Amino acid sequence: MSYEKIGVIGAMQEEIELFLEHMEQVQVTEKAQIAFREGRLHGRSVVLCKSGVGKVNAAVTTQLLIDTFGVEAVVFTGVAGAVDPELNVGDIVISSESMQHDMDVTALGFPRGTIPYEETSLFPADDKLRKLAEEAGTALSEGRVKVGRVLSGDQFIASRDTVAKLYEELQGACTEMEGAAVAQVCSMNRIPHVIIRSMSDKADGSAHVNFAEFTLQASRNSYRIVDHMLKQL
């Protein structure tokens, strides 16, 4: 399948800056206080936007990309905290699936992460996009590339104990604040997606030391992978 128009989302300005530098024929439309930039990248139609931080911002942005701009696939790019102990700063996680780690209805007997009364709480990435991302990551990344479960929640995780629980209980590879919302909206609309995250910290309490320093580096890593994917599509 060839995707005629692709939505690319980053939560923060640093995560979309390199795309802005390379896009051509850019037109800006504002919806819900979000700037959507339509343009061309490697001859492909792209709609680029900064969602803002958190699941609500990510969900609103994704639905607008689908309804207003008619994107046929969505790629979320940016940084995350490593949960898998084998991952280090600069490594890449490509989503096999996404889950909300802060969805907690355990008091009613539901397993942690389960959305009550829904058919699923795990939202798989599109196979084609995932494979393209993995190939690009393997070719371009100097660090480890892992396909794994992305955990999302409206929390900045900075506790070793919490990280251990996310890894042991939910089998997460990394944690961030938007991916599962993007994934769920795409799933509800039957739109293919993939989440690509470069590790900016270890989600272990050391983020105050290395987050700002490594966010730009991690954003560059993610950009190179998405850029390579767009060339291959």
Side-chain angles (χ1 to χ4, degrees):
M1 179 178 180
S2 177
Y3 308 114
E4 296 302 320
K5 185 182 284 189
I6 298 172
V8 178
I9 309 173
M12 302 182 297
Q13 188 66 27
E14 295 92 334
E15 295 169 333
I16 67 167
E17 197 65 47
L18 287 170
F19 293 96
L20 286 173
E21 292 177 11
H22 292 89
M23 281 180 67
E24 300 175 337
Q25 304 172 30
V26 177
Q27 293 184 327
V28 182
T29 303
E30 186 171 303
K31 294 279 187 181
Q33 302 179 44
I34 302 163
F36 293 86
R37 295 171 170 87
E38 297 178 88
R40 310 289 294 182
L41 194 60
H42 306 307
R44 184 165 300 281
S45 180
V46 170
V47 185
L48 175 71
C49 49
K50 181 185 73 173
S51 64
V53 173
K55 292 186 297 179
V56 173
N57 283 328
V60 170
T61 301
T62 305
Q63 193 65 56
L64 284 170
L65 279 172
I66 295 166
D67 286 346
T68 303
F69 299 94
V71 301
E72 298 176 353
V74 173
V75 178
F76 198 106
T77 177
V79 303
V83 171
D84 186 325
E86 294 184 359
L87 291 171
N88 292 304
V89 171
D91 290 346
I92 300 291
V93 171
I94 298 160
S95 63
S96 56
E97 58 197 5
S98 303
M99 168 190 270
Q100 298 179 56
H101 69 76
D102 62 348
M103 178 62 68
D104 188 347
V105 196
T106 53
L108 296 181
F110 293 93
R112 183 179 177 184
T114 298
I115 304 171
Y117 317 119
E118 295 291 332
E119 290 184 3
T120 185
S121 302
L122 286 172
F123 302 99
D126 176 71
D127 284 342
K128 178 180 178 180
L129 293 175
R130 177 184 51 77
K131 289 175 183 175
L132 277 173
E134 187 175 7
E135 290 169 2
T138 301
L140 299 172
S141 177
E142 297 176 359
R144 178 184 174 91
V145 177
K146 180 179 179 63
V147 176
R149 181 177 294 176
V150 172
L151 301 179
S152 305
D154 288 324
Q155 303 164 356
F156 191 96
I157 304 299
S159 160
R160 289 183 175 85
D161 289 342
T162 302
V163 167
K165 289 179 181 177
L166 292 178
Y167 182 66
E168 294 163 7
E169 296 178 13
L170 299 181
Q171 296 81 54
C174 68
T175 180
E176 36 86 299
M177 301 176 73
E178 297 85 23
V182 172
Q184 182 173 352
V185 172
C186 285
S187 176
M188 293 168 73
N189 288 275
R190 295 181 172 84
I191 295 291
H193 82 281
V194 70
I195 312 297
I196 301 167
R197 294 290 195 175
S198 181
M199 302 302 101
S200 61
D201 62 274
K202 297 273 286 182
D204 61 358
S206 62
H208 67 286
V209 175
N210 58 20
F211 182 75
E213 178 182 350
F214 289 112
T215 292
L216 290 176
Q217 172 192 327
S219 296
R220 285 193 293 269
N221 291 344
S222 296
Y223 163 77
R224 292 173 65 208
I225 292 172
V226 178
D227 184 66
H228 187 81
M229 288 175 64
L230 292 173
K231 292 176 183 177
Q232 301 304 314
L233 280 171

